[in-house]
């Protein structure tokens, strides 16, 4: 029976050659190029979903078909880099450059590996190759020189780029870092002098050279460049910054004022420099009082300054020098500009009123501030002190007792409150309470 079945199957196959062929040949035979594309697209898809291992496997299949395909090595390097397989990635990118050295992207792959592994010396070699494709990579070379502390090369390249493409904030920072080391300053002085000769209308070179001379205490050379700047660019405010200091040192007040007013009126000048100039002039006026009117004019330039209350700061300056009348004047000026509600300025003013014995004014203003700031104990204290001095002892007692309710962890103020309450009760003839509060003040003083 088994023999009959086998004979039957054999006859069927003989009668159907198509079926016979189907058993002896694969269903589909793809050309090698199609296989390559399938593997390559598979690698791109796997890389896109961050399956870098599978992408690498697909690319290795590509290399079996096309062992010298630069793009495959490049893609292989990118996937290996994503997996932080740095040595393999570098080798793959390098192989790509060997096959196709004119493709800058392959060199960029090598650079990326070197940079990520902080192999800056190798990165310099690669970036120099990339510069042959595009000089924009010189910016990277500057950073690499800084990372490897090749400051002499960095300075030369910074100056070259400044000359060719203009300055940048990053390069300026690098340059400041380099020039903070004195040994590089002579080279920079020579460079700046050369730049001034080539471009006499470029203000920044004068400014940089003046700064270097000033930092080295070469005052005469700094002044020489300043005057040269003024001659070449009469409208330069920076020239006036340098001349202002020179004129002050020479006690040439009117010339210093002229330079100062030019600087203060300039919208281009940094506010920190303006404040510094005003401070220097303030010190000058302290011993040259004939220029007080010019100081008032200088202060007016800061009326719209939202960062610093100049009148208040000048008041503090005179406060520290115990020139109370002048302190009062500037504190009052400051309060007129800010609606009179600044707590610190008022407290400083009230102290100056005490020193100048303006107790009527103090009592009036302290009461007004209590209405605006009812929980601020210092205002009650000044009100009590003023009313004691005016012999309004009942009023003084009321204000001081109310203010004591708001005292928190301020021993010095508490001592002063007790002293003034003792004075108030003394004025009211209550000697027992007078002694009570004076005793409390003494106990606090002993702590």
């Amino acid at each position: 029976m088994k023999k009959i079945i086998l004979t039957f199957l054999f006859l069927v196959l003989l009668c159907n050659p198509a079926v016979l062929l189907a058993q002896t040949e694969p269903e589909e035979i793809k050309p090698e190029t199609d296989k390559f594309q399938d593997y390559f697209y598979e690698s791109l898809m796997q890389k896109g979903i961050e399956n870098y291992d599978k992408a690498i496997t697909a690319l290795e299949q590509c290399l079996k078909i096309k062992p010298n395909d630069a793009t495959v090595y490049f893609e292989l390097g990118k996937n290996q880099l994503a997996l932080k397989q740095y040595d393999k990635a570098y080798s793959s990118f390098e192989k790509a450059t060997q096959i196709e050295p004119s493709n800058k992207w392959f060199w960029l792959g090598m650079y990326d590996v070197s940079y990520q592994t902080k192999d800056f010396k190798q990165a310099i070699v690669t970036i120099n190759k990339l510069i042959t494709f595009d000089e924009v990579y010189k910016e990277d070379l500057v950073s690499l020189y800084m990372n490897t502390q090749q400051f002499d090369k960095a300075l030369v390249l910074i100056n070259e780029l400044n000359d060719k493409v203009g300055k940048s904030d990053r390069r300026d920072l690098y340059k400041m870092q380099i020039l903070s080391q004195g040994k590089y300053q002579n080279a920079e002085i020579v460079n700046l002098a050369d730049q001034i000769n080539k471009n006499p209308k470029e203000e920044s070179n004068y400014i940089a050279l003046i700064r270097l001379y000033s930092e080295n205490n070469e005052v005469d050379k700094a002044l020489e460049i300043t005057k040269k700047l003024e001659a070449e660019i009469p409208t330069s405010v920076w020239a006036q910054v340098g001349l202002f200091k020179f004129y002050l040192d020479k006690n040439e007040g009117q010339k210093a004022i002229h330079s100062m007013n030019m600087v203060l009126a300039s919208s281009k000048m940094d506010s920190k420099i303006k404040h510094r100039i005003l401070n220097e002039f303030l010190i000058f006026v302290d011993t040259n009082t004939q220029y007080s009117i010019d100081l008032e004019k200088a202060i007016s330039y800061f009326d719209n300054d939202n960062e610093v209350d100049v009148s208040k700061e000048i008041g503090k300056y005179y406060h520290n020098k115990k020139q109370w009348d002048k302190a009062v004047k500037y504190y009052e000026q400051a309060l007129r500009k800010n609606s009179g509600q600044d707590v610190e300025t008022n407290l400083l003013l009230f102290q100056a009123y005490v020193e100048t014995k303006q107790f009527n004014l103090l009592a009036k203003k302290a009461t007004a501030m209590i209405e605006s700031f009812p929980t601020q104990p210092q205002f009650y204290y000044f009100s009590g002190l003023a009313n004691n001095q005016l012999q309004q002892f009942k009023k003084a007692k009321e204000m001081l007792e109310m203010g004591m309710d708001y005292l928190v962890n301020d021993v010095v103020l508490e001592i002063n409150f007790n002293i003034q309450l003792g004075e108030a009760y003394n004025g009211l003839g209550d000697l027992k309470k007078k002694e009570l509060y004076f005793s409390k003040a003494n106990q606090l003083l002993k702590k």
Side-chain angles (χ1 to χ4, degrees):
M1 183 68 180
K2 187 185 271 189
K3 194 182 246 188
I4 294 169
I5 293 170
L6 287 172
T7 303
F8 176 76
L9 284 171
F10 180 73
L11 290 171
V12 169
L13 288 172
L14 283 176
C15 295
N16 195 342
V19 173
L20 190 61
L21 280 173
Q23 299 301 315
T24 58
E25 293 184 5
E27 292 181 359
E28 183 181 358
I29 301 176
K30 287 191 175 183
E32 291 291 297
T33 53
D34 290 345
K35 286 183 181 180
F36 178 88
Q37 287 181 355
D38 286 347
Y39 286 128
F40 191 78
Y41 290 138
E42 174 69 12
S43 76
L44 295 178
M45 184 189 74
Q46 295 296 340
K47 184 180 74 173
I49 57 176
E50 300 183 3
N51 284 335
Y52 303 115
D53 285 324
K54 291 183 178 179
I56 289 170
T57 300
L59 289 165
E60 287 170 343
Q61 293 298 321
C62 288
L63 287 175
K64 288 179 181 178
I65 299 168
K66 292 186 179 181
N68 289 311
D69 192 296
T71 303
V72 173
Y73 280 107
F74 178 59
E75 285 295 320
L76 190 59
K78 288 197 284 186
N79 284 282
Q80 290 163 335
L81 182 57
L83 292 173
K84 297 184 179 181
Q85 298 174 355
Y86 297 117
D87 289 342
K88 290 181 178 180
Y90 190 87
S91 178
S92 295
F93 289 133
E94 187 175 35
K95 183 68 174 177
T97 63
Q98 290 168 354
I99 298 168
E100 195 177 320
S102 62
N103 191 317
K104 78 172 183 179
W105 297 105
F106 301 163
W107 293 97
L108 271 171
M110 292 171 64
Y111 175 62
D112 285 342
V113 175
S114 299
Y115 198 86
Q116 286 191 36
T117 56
K118 299 188 185 308
D119 187 351
F120 297 127
K121 289 184 178 179
Q122 184 57 51
I124 288 172
V125 174
T126 309
I127 210 71
N128 274 308
K129 179 64 180 180
L130 282 164
I131 287 169
T132 64
F133 295 104
D134 191 340
E135 291 202 345
V136 72
Y137 294 111
K138 284 186 176 181
E139 294 286 356
D140 294 77
L141 184 55
V142 171
S143 297
L144 290 169
Y145 282 148
M146 294 300 294
N147 281 319
T148 54
Q149 298 187 343
Q150 298 183 64
F151 298 129
D152 49 348
K153 292 181 180 180
L155 186 58
V156 170
L157 188 53
I158 287 168
N159 289 333
E160 177 192 326
L161 290 170
N162 287 349
D163 196 31
K164 286 184 178 179
V165 300
K167 295 182 179 181
S168 74
D169 290 341
R170 185 172 69 167
R171 276 186 264 118
D172 283 347
L173 286 172
Y174 284 154
K175 195 167 188 176
M176 286 173 62
Q177 183 182 337
I178 295 168
L179 295 180
S180 67
Q181 303 178 49
K183 64 180 181 178
Y184 296 104
Q185 290 184 1
N186 287 336
E188 179 60 6
I189 286 170
V190 171
N191 169 63
L192 289 169
D194 182 54
Q195 291 297 318
I196 287 170
N197 288 332
K198 288 197 296 185
N199 304 292
K201 300 300 181 183
E202 177 54 53
E203 186 181 43
S204 62
N205 294 320
Y206 294 94
I207 296 166
L209 187 52
I210 291 165
R211 185 180 290 117
L212 276 178
Y213 280 138
S214 298
E215 288 171 354
N216 293 332
N217 293 318
E218 297 181 76
V219 178
D220 291 338
K221 289 183 179 179
L223 179 61
E224 179 186 343
I225 300 302
T226 301
K227 289 182 174 179
K228 190 172 182 179
L229 169 58
E230 185 186 33
E232 288 289 348
I233 311 174
T235 58
S236 171
V237 181
W238 280 103
Q240 302 306 320
V241 172
L243 290 171
F244 167 77
K245 181 63 176 170
F246 170 75
Y247 291 139
L248 275 191
D249 292 342
K250 295 292 184 181
N251 205 33
E252 297 182 34
Q254 288 300 332
K255 290 182 178 179
I257 290 164
H258 172 74
S259 294
M260 175 182 70
N261 288 338
M262 283 186 67
V263 175
L264 297 183
S266 172
S267 60
K268 297 178 181 178
M269 188 56 61
D270 184 82
S271 63
K272 290 180 181 177
I273 293 173
K274 291 183 179 182
H275 287 133
R276 190 193 76 203
I277 283 179
L278 181 65
N279 287 338
E280 290 175 355
F281 189 62
L282 174 62
I283 295 167
F284 176 76
V285 170
D286 204 24
T287 53
N288 297 271
T289 55
Q290 68 269 32
Y291 299 114
S292 297
I293 294 174
D294 298 288
L295 177 61
E296 295 298 321
K297 181 181 177 183
I299 293 169
S300 69
Y301 284 110
F302 296 88
D303 284 348
N304 297 317
D305 190 333
N306 295 320
E307 294 182 11
V308 179
D309 189 334
V310 171
S311 296
K312 176 181 175 180
E313 294 306 313
I314 293 177
K316 286 182 178 180
Y317 170 80
Y318 286 122
H319 194 120
N320 292 332
K321 294 176 73 67
K322 301 188 186 313
Q323 297 182 27
W324 303 110
D325 288 330
K326 289 181 179 178
V328 166
K329 173 184 174 182
Y330 288 104
Y331 289 145
E332 289 179 339
Q333 191 177 101
L335 289 168
R336 283 195 294 272
K337 293 175 186 174
N338 61 27
S339 304
Q341 297 299 296
D342 182 70
V343 170
E344 183 190 22
T345 307
N346 274 287
L347 291 174
L348 290 167
L349 174 61
F350 291 174
Q351 182 60 45
Y353 280 155
V354 172
E355 301 293 343
T356 54
K357 302 186 185 311
Q358 299 184 63
F359 297 114
N360 277 310
L361 197 53
L362 175 58
K364 179 182 175 182
K365 291 198 173 185
T367 300
M369 290 306 293
I370 288 169
E371 291 175 2
S372 299
F373 299 95
T375 62
Q376 195 76 33
Q378 291 97 327
F379 294 135
Y380 292 93
Y381 165 74
F382 279 113
S383 177
L385 185 155
N387 280 295
N388 271 336
Q389 292 296 320
L390 296 170
Q391 298 187 356
Q392 303 291 326
F393 300 115
K394 184 180 179 183
K395 178 72 171 174
K397 178 185 80 72
E398 291 172 355
M399 300 308 291
L400 291 163
E401 286 177 343
M402 281 193 288
M404 286 283 276
D405 292 338
Y406 302 109
L407 264 175
V408 180
N409 298 327
D410 190 335
V411 176
V412 174
L413 187 56
E414 188 177 354
I415 291 168
N416 288 330
F417 260 93
N418 282 299
I419 291 170
Q420 290 302 319
L421 275 166
E423 294 287 356
Y425 278 109
N426 182 54
L428 292 169
D430 190 336
L431 299 182
K432 190 176 288 187
K433 286 196 174 179
K434 165 196 164 184
E435 292 302 325
L436 172 67
Y437 284 107
F438 282 161
S439 175
K440 284 184 178 181
N442 284 327
Q443 288 173 8
L444 288 168
L445 281 167
K446 291 175 183 177
K447 286 186 177 180

